[in-house]
């Protein structure tokens, strides 16, 4: 069976897969990393976003063969409930989640944005998150949390 | 609960125990608050008291100083997981950190009805409050004997009964021992004075937020049981089609993939999820033609002409009097489209069905209500069917959670193993039961001063034909339920205006046959009905050249309604003038609008005002600011109410501006986020929410009411900006542009 080497949350992982088209999302979930969620399988909702070499990408659209040799960071790799990443902490403080299903993908998108642009404007934040859908209507809290995580706003 | 407990529970799970959602409110990191183990179905059902009229169904005092609270109402993201413990802890007199909380398990929690209709707190919370008050009264009476004191001289504080004058207390656990309360809920048990509340009314944080932000909360989509198999159901290419043949060889190249067929229910299973998905795509099957759908572009005419209509007079208020000859008459027709629940996570469930029992893990709003339904099609006694709630993606009514659970149950019985069914995006948007289309006709007569002399509403709506839930797809496809029913919720409410009028009449034209399988969608029917009513009120005010805010205030009698409407006026710095105003021919026309609802005519009072811009060239509506004054009586957790109001506003903006289920003559075709788009971050306006807290009054529910004001507030603001009245939802740019080109209406 063909195998693919990649880095996941800092650890080297070897993936055996008979199908080079198997999406990264299912590889990660097979590892027990379930923060990235299946939402559409079409790259339209952002629920499955992970960082690939620092860039937010939908893991449902990434064939395992295409991420060989790359470094993947999932939400679990950013922080934990006990030791959260600053963006996670800002989301907790702003009491962002309702159902919480879209939250991991939103935090990944926000992390990619702040890594590239530490002090984005509100318009830039909204634009960076336009690929993430939320049905509960947590949007205004998300924007406030990202502003707070970037040291702007309250 | 400790991390040690949570490890224990995982081990027990592997031995075949059943997992239940439980939360400790101990301030521990939420990772440590995991699922705890419940006993297997039979034993637990025997050990637990489940009668919702009995205190022990809700509460137990534990020897370690904690109190276990069981809730039949579940946390769908609306925050009951903190609000319910706040109610219980407050009324009992114990710290919130001493509450262990379990929800939505038919073997452990009382049947409090579906978590729906904004009744989580208003009904479920009040049952829990009464149970706690009854328990508190009993604890005080027990302590009075022990301390040789009068009950009125005692109070409960920090899990102890103490003399109000001070001195040592007696722990709840030492009073109750290992016994139950054995008491019925006492409607006369004294309730705490809201002026003394220390927990209720506080914006306390939810116990699951940290886990949701860390990605460690276990959703039903993440949940696994030992020995389970992954399944995908293949839905027919046309609604009502039956399966004629399956080419099993078409998936032979995929190791572990198998075809499962139960009459017209077609599925594939595999040991891993990706293989199941590949098999579902590869499987070749032949289907009959479907039962057909009407043409979408003439849907309204089709609905009006449907056979089997039943008229029902819903409201008749005030004397019928002849309308004077000089009265002005107005008529209008409004339309609300078929809409999807649009859950971000497609539905998922796991079922383990054997010859004599079933366990089903589901994100359904109604584990208890589902029990008898699932038992019936599985041919099992209800007490042998256990449904356990696990968090899901926000459902906002009956989405496909019950369908996925029914798929899993039928398939598990067929394959003799636990089965996990995960719906696809396409399945979720195409096959979830839909919020139905609604037509609302009005006729009104007004005098020269704008008094409403006569008001008539006619509603065209599908009539629920069963007391229970809309029947799920699998039992019908599998031939296990020959009599499918549907239930749309209370969709005919709020069809009459809350304003003074000489005579008001509302008639429902109940349609026997829905166009697509319907089910309740957040605030069933009322966002559409009140969109129509509050838009038509605006039409009347405009026809009388009166300011829309003053028009409402002069005709509204309810002081709580007046309060929220006035507050919105103040937040908007409302200048009295009739609509339309300003430069209606500007390239970007700006307007303001408002709407009010007294939800179901006996629940929350909500007013919404908003400011928007209409881009004439593109037809795009840009909502800039939304203000909302909200009175839902006593507020248990203001942050929870605020979140519900924010969500109601934003989700309904999405529904009003963007959402309509599209279908061809065979099936739904709006089955992804490009054909069924929803609101994105760039289009989200600023929100200002003013909560009117009335601690001494009953809580009324906050999950839906604000939804009802959005359609009219937007339509009224577009009219204010442009002089053009929008009467058909969604207000897409194409539709707005066409309306602007057609001119004032």
């Amino acid at each position: 069976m063909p195998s693919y080497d990649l880095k996941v949350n800092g650890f080297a992982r070897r993936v055996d897969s008979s199908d080079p088209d198997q999406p990264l999302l299912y590889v990660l979930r097979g590892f027990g990393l379930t923060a990235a969620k299946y939402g559409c399988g079409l790259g339209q909702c952002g629920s499955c976003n992970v960082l690939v070499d620092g860039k937010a990408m939908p893991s449902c659209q990434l064939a395992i063969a295409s991420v060989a040799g790359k470094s993947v960071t999932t939400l679990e790799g950013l922080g934990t409930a006990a030791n959260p990443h600053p963006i996670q902490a800002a989301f907790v403080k702003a009491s962002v989640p309702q159902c919480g299903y879209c939250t991991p993908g939103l935090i990944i998108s926000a992390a990619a944005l702040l890594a590239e642009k530490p002090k984005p404007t509100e318009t830039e934040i909204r634009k960076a998150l336009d690929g993430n859908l939320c049905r509960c209507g947590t949007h205004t809290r998300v924007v406030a949390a990202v502003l707070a995580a970037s040291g702007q706003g309250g | 609960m400790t991390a040690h407990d949570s490890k224990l529970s995982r081990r027990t799970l592997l031995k075949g125990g059943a997992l239940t959602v439980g939360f400790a409110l101990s301030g521990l990191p939420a990772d440590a608050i995991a699922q705890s183990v419940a006993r297997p179905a039979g034993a637990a059902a025997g050990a637990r008291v489940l009668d919702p009229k009995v205190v022990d169904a809700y509460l137990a005092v534990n020897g370690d100083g904690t109190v276990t609270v069981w809730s039949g109402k579940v946390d769908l993201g609306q925050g009951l997981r903190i609000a319910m413990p706040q109610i219980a802890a407050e009324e009992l007199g114990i710290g919130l950190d001493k509450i262990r909380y379990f929800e939505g398990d038919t073997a452990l929690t009382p049947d409090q009805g579906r978590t729906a209709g904004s009744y989580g707190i208003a009904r479920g919370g009040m049952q829990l409050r009464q149970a706690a008050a009854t328990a508190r009264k009993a604890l005080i009476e027990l302590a009075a004997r022990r301390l040789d004191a009068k009950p009125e001289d005692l109070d409960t504080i920090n899990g102890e009964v103490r003399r109000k004058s001070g001195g040592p207390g007696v722990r709840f656990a030492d009073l109750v021992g290992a016994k139950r309360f054995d008491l019925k809920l006492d409607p006369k048990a004294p309730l705490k004075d809201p002026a003394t509340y220390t927990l209720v009314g506080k914006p306390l944080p939810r116990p699951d937020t940290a886990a949701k932000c860390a990605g460690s909360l276990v959703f039903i989509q993440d949940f696994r049981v030992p020995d389970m198999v992954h399944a995908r159901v293949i839905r027919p290419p046309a609604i009502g089609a039956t399966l004629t043949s399956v080419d099993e060889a078409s998936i032979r190249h995929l190791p572990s993939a198998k075809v499962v067929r139960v009459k017209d229910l077609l599925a594939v299973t595999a040991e891993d999820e990706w293989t199941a998905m590949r098999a579902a795509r590869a499987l070749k099957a032949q289907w009959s033609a479907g039962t057909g759908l009407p043409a979408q572009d003439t849907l309204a005419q089709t609905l009006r002409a449907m056979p089997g209509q039943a008229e029902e007079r819903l409201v008749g208020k005030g004397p019928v009097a002849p309308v004077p000859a000089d009265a002005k008459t107005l008529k209008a027709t409004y339309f609300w489209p078929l809409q999807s629940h649009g859950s971000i996570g497609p539905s998922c469930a796991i079922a383990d069905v054997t010859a004599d029992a079933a366990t089903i893990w589901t994100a359904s709003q109604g584990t208890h209500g589902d029990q008898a339904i699932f038992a019936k099609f599985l041919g099992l006694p209800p007490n042998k069917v256990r449904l356990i709630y696990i968090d899901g993606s926000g459902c906002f009514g009956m989405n496909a959670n019950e369908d996925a659970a029914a798929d899993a149950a039928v398939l598990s019985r067929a394959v003799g193993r636990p089965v996990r069914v995960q719906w696809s995006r396409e399945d979720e948007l195409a096959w979830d039961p839909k919020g139905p289309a609604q037509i609302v006709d009005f006729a009104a007569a007004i005098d020269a001063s704008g008094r409403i002399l006569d008001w008539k509403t006619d509603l065209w709506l599908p009539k629920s034909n069963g007391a229970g839930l809309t029947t799920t797809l699998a039992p019908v496809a599998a031939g296990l339920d020959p009599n499918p029913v549907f239930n749309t919720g209370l969709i005919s409410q709020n069809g009459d205006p809350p304003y003074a009028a000489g005579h008001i009449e509302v008639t429902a034209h109940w349609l026997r046959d829905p166009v697509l399988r319907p089910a309740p969608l957040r605030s069933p029917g009322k966002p559409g009905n009140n969109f129509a009513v509050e838009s038509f009120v605006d039409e009347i005010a405009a026809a009388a050249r009166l300011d829309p805010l003053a028009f409402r205030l002069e005709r509204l009698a309810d002081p709580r309604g007046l309060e929220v409407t006035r507050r919105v006026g103040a937040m908007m710095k409302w200048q009295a003038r009739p609509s339309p105003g300003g430069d209606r021919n500007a390239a970007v026309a700006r307007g303001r609008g408002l709407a009010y609802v007294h939800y179901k005519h006996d629940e929350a009072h909500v007013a919404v005002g908003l400011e928007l811009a209409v881009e004439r060239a593109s037809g795009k509506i840009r909502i800039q600011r939304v203000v909302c004054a909200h009175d839902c009586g006593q507020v248990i957790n203001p942050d929870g109410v605020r979140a519900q109001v924010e969500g109601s506003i934003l989700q309904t903006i999405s529904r009003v501006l963007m959402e309509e289920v599209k279908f061809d003559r065979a099936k739904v075709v709006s089955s992804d986020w490009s054909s069924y788009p929803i609101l994105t971050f760039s289009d989200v306006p600023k929100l200002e929410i003013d909560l009117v807290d009335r601690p001494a009054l009953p809580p009324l529910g906050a999950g839906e009411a604000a939804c009802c004001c959005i359609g009219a507030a937007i339509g009224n603001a577009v009219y204010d900006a442009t002089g053009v009245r929008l009467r058909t939802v969604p207000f897409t740019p194409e539709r707005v542009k066409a309306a602007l080109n057609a001119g004032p209406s």
Side-chain angles (χ1 to χ4, degrees):
Chain A
M1 196 181 290
S3 66
Y4 308 90
D5 290 307
L6 61 157
K7 215 185 232 183
V8 178
N9 296 334
F11 295 98
R13 304 293 293 250
R14 172 159 291 182
V15 180
D16 297 319
S17 178
S18 58
D19 180 7
D21 292 331
Q22 180 175 14
L24 176 63
L25 175 64
Y26 298 96
V27 172
L28 295 172
R29 294 180 76 82
F31 290 154
L33 297 170
T34 56
K37 304 282 185 245
Y38 167 66
C40 65
L42 303 162
Q44 294 177 339
C45 75
S47 302
C48 66
N49 277 6
V50 297
L51 297 173
V52 179
D53 292 340
K55 226 175 147 234
M57 302 185 82
S59 60
C60 74
Q61 296 296 295
L62 299 173
I64 184 62
S66 75
V67 290
K70 300 201 170 161
S71 173
V72 173
T73 306
T74 71
L75 188 67
E76 291 96 335
L78 283 190
T80 63
N83 188 20
H85 182 277
I87 300 174
Q88 290 171 314
F91 270 59
V92 172
K93 195 169 174 220
S95 193
V96 168
Q98 289 188 33
C99 83
Y101 196 85
C102 71
T103 309
L106 276 164
I107 294 173
I108 289 289
S109 294
L113 170 68
L114 295 191
E116 194 185 299
K117 185 148 198 172
K119 303 272 181 201
T121 64
E122 184 171 332
T123 305
E124 287 167 337
I125 293 170
R126 286 165 177 261
K127 213 171 160 121
L129 301 178
D130 267 340
N132 291 78
L133 298 179
C134 166
R135 188 60 163 167
C136 295
T138 65
H139 306 73
T140 55
R141 291 178 186 228
V142 169
V143 173
V146 178
L147 276 171
S150 67
Q152 311 174 89
Chain B
M1 198 180 306
T2 63
H4 176 70
D5 281 337
S6 99
K7 267 182 219 147
L8 251 184
S9 34
R10 282 170 214 281
R11 205 165 60 224
T12 315
L13 169 71
L14 293 172
K15 285 191 208 154
L19 208 65
T20 282
V21 170
F23 280 85
L25 291 107
S26 55
L28 287 171
D31 272 352
I33 308 168
Q35 293 81 13
S36 84
V37 156
R39 289 151 288 185
R48 282 279 303 136
V49 174
L50 298 175
D51 180 353
K53 294 188 190 72
V54 173
V55 171
D56 301 304
Y58 302 89
L59 295 166
V61 171
N62 305 314
D64 63 359
T66 61
V67 166
T68 302
V69 173
W70 289 277
S71 170
K73 299 283 190 190
V74 295
D75 197 317
L76 306 162
Q78 84 284 45
L80 288 190
R81 206 164 271 159
I82 184 65
M84 296 291 258
Q86 278 177 272
I87 291 169
E90 181 76 66
E91 210 59 41
L92 270 176
I94 191 168
L96 199 58
D97 59 335
K98 295 288 190 283
I99 301 287
R100 302 166 65 130
Y101 184 71
F102 295 88
E103 58 189 87
D105 181 336
T106 56
L108 297 175
T109 63
D111 180 1
Q112 297 185 273
R114 279 179 83 76
T115 310
S118 291
Y119 293 137
I121 297 288
R123 293 190 182 172
M126 294 308 96
Q127 284 175 305
L128 178 59
R129 175 175 283 171
Q130 212 59 49
T134 306
R136 179 172 177 270
K137 182 168 173 251
L139 289 163
I140 285 178
E141 283 165 2
L142 287 167
R145 264 171 258 153
R146 178 91 56 104
L147 297 171
D148 196 20
K150 289 184 187 152
E152 56 269 32
D153 294 334
L154 301 177
D155 199 2
T156 53
I157 301 162
N158 286 340
E160 295 182 347
V161 183
R162 296 182 197 164
R163 287 178 202 272
K164 288 176 183 167
S165 57
V170 190
R171 291 187 339 132
F172 291 174
D174 295 334
L175 291 165
V176 178
K179 290 191 201 132
R180 291 174 174 163
F181 284 99
D182 273 331
L183 290 169
K184 290 214 155 172
L185 298 200
D186 176 1
K188 291 192 181 127
L191 297 177
K192 281 205 170 161
D193 177 358
T196 68
Y197 282 167
T198 57
L199 298 171
V200 165
K202 300 278 186 296
L204 302 174
R206 304 176 186 205
D208 51 10
T209 299
K212 285 180 179 177
C213 295
S216 55
L217 188 107
V218 177
F219 287 85
I220 185 68
Q221 288 87 350
D222 309 323
F223 183 64
R224 299 288 184 271
V225 302
D227 193 38
M228 67 169 215
V229 67
H230 292 269
R232 288 291 188 280
V233 174
I234 293 94
R235 299 287 170 209
I239 290 171
T242 54
L243 186 55
T244 46
S245 69
V246 183
D247 174 12
E248 298 203 19
S250 58
I251 61 164
R252 210 160 279 157
H253 61 291
L254 295 166
S256 98
K258 291 185 184 121
V259 173
V260 187
R261 178 183 178 179
V262 187
K263 197 171 170 279
D264 295 320
L265 182 68
L266 179 62
V268 289
T269 62
E271 298 304 317
D272 71 283
E273 185 158 20
W274 177 239
T275 302
M277 291 172 70
R278 291 172 73 194
R281 273 178 216 167
L283 185 67
K284 291 195 171 72
Q286 298 295 318
W287 300 81
S288 74
T291 41
L293 291 169
Q296 181 149 33
D297 55 1
T298 52
L299 179 62
Q301 295 95 299
T302 303
L303 293 175
R304 283 179 195 275
M306 271 189 163
Q309 294 188 23
E311 277 189 22
E312 182 187 0
R313 191 163 179 256
L314 300 173
V315 178
K317 278 194 282 201
V320 184
V323 172
D326 60 347
K328 195 178 220 174
T329 57
L330 289 89
K331 283 187 175 184
T333 290
Y334 285 81
F335 181 82
W336 187 274
L338 281 149
Q339 292 181 330
S340 170
H341 298 78
S343 296
I344 298 297
S347 296
C348 182
I350 297 180
D352 183 6
V353 180
T354 62
D356 54 6
T359 305
I360 296 155
W361 292 268
T362 171
S364 167
Q365 293 174 300
T367 44
H368 290 83
D370 297 339
Q371 193 178 28
I373 296 169
F374 277 65
K376 195 171 170 201
F377 74 71
L378 290 173
L380 291 169
N383 66 358
K384 293 291 179 191
V385 177
R386 181 180 185 182
L387 289 110
I388 300 170
Y389 177 76
I390 307 265
D391 288 66
S393 175
C395 60
F396 314 105
M398 183 186 171
N399 68 348
N401 279 329
E402 286 81 359
D403 281 306
D407 288 341
V410 174
L411 295 173
S412 173
R413 189 168 69 171
V415 304
R417 281 174 70 179
V419 171
R420 173 183 184 268
V421 170
Q422 167 72 65
W423 276 36
S424 69
R425 167 55 41 209
E426 184 182 3
D427 289 343
E428 188 74 23
L429 285 172
W431 292 91
D432 78 314
K434 302 294 186 286
Q438 297 168 246
I439 302 168
V440 187
D441 283 352
F442 294 115
I446 60 171
D447 71 10
S449 67
R451 278 197 311 146
I452 304 170
L453 306 172
D454 193 69
W455 173 295
K456 195 168 183 309
T457 306
D458 286 89
L459 307 165
W460 274 263
L461 301 163
K463 171 118 182 121
S464 299
N465 61 6
L469 283 183
T470 293
T471 306
T472 50
L473 298 170
V476 178
L480 301 171
D481 188 341
N483 298 305
V485 296
F486 58 88
N487 189 325
T488 53
L490 303 169
I491 52 174
S492 66
Q493 296 165 316
N494 288 111
D496 50 329
Y499 308 107
H503 175 69
I504 299 174
E505 199 163 298
V506 180
T507 304
H509 303 256
W510 292 112
L511 306 177
R512 187 188 58 199
D513 307 312
V515 170
L516 294 169
R517 186 175 61 126
L521 169 56
R522 195 177 201 168
S523 185
K526 293 167 282 285
N529 295 340
N530 203 53
F531 152 62
V533 167
E534 281 286 297
S535 295
F536 194 58
V537 165
D538 231 61
E539 292 199 49
I540 292 172
R545 301 299 300 151
L546 294 171
D547 172 67
L549 173 61
F551 184 92
R552 287 172 170 82
L553 293 174
E554 280 160 22
R555 287 158 184 77
L556 203 51
D558 192 308
R560 294 170 73 176
L562 285 166
E563 175 72 24
V564 291
T565 310
R566 280 199 194 104
R567 284 196 191 201
V568 158
M571 289 161 89
M572 301 272 290
K573 296 195 169 58
W574 192 274
Q575 305 287 321
R577 60 164 175 77
S579 285
D583 181 3
R584 67 180 89 162
N585 294 315
V588 178
R590 293 176 194 282
R592 66 181 193 183
L594 66 88
Y596 162 74
V597 73
H598 183 195
Y599 193 54
K600 304 179 194 168
H601 287 303
D602 62 1
E603 294 180 17
H605 294 266
V606 183
V608 167
L610 57 76
E611 294 166 2
L612 55 72
V614 182
E615 294 174 359
R616 188 163 280 278
S618 65
K620 169 107 180 156
I621 295 170
R622 292 195 188 278
I623 302 174
Q624 285 143 340
R625 180 185 179 217
V626 183
V627 306
C628 174
H630 193 277
D631 173 0
C632 60
Q634 183 186 80
V635 172
I636 308 300
N637 186 314
D639 189 63
V641 172
R642 238 167 238 288
Q644 282 298 288
V645 176
E646 290 165 18
S648 294
I649 292 170
L650 295 181
Q651 191 180 87
T652 315
I653 287 175
S654 179
R655 290 173 68 179
V656 169
L657 295 186
M658 309 175 82
E659 297 182 31
E660 177 167 33
V661 172
K662 297 284 174 58
F663 51 88
D664 62 17
R665 302 306 296 268
K667 64 186 182 306
V668 171
V669 296
S670 51
S671 60
D672 66 15
W673 294 122
S674 63
S675 49
Y676 193 87
I678 62 171
L679 194 69
T680 54
F681 275 83
S682 286
D683 288 330
V684 166
K686 290 202 182 309
L687 305 179
E688 294 158 51
I689 293 157
D690 186 10
L691 299 184
V692 183
D693 188 13
R694 300 192 183 274
L697 295 178
L700 296 171
E704 299 174 317
C707 300
C708 305
C709 294
I710 302 304
I714 297 173
N716 295 343
V718 169
Y719 178 79
D720 187 59
T722 65
V724 169
R725 176 64 59 184
L726 300 177
R727 298 192 185 90
T728 298
V729 165
F731 303 161
T732 56
E734 301 72 37
R735 195 170 270 156
V736 172
K737 217 165 130 175
L740 291 173
N741 290 338
S745 46

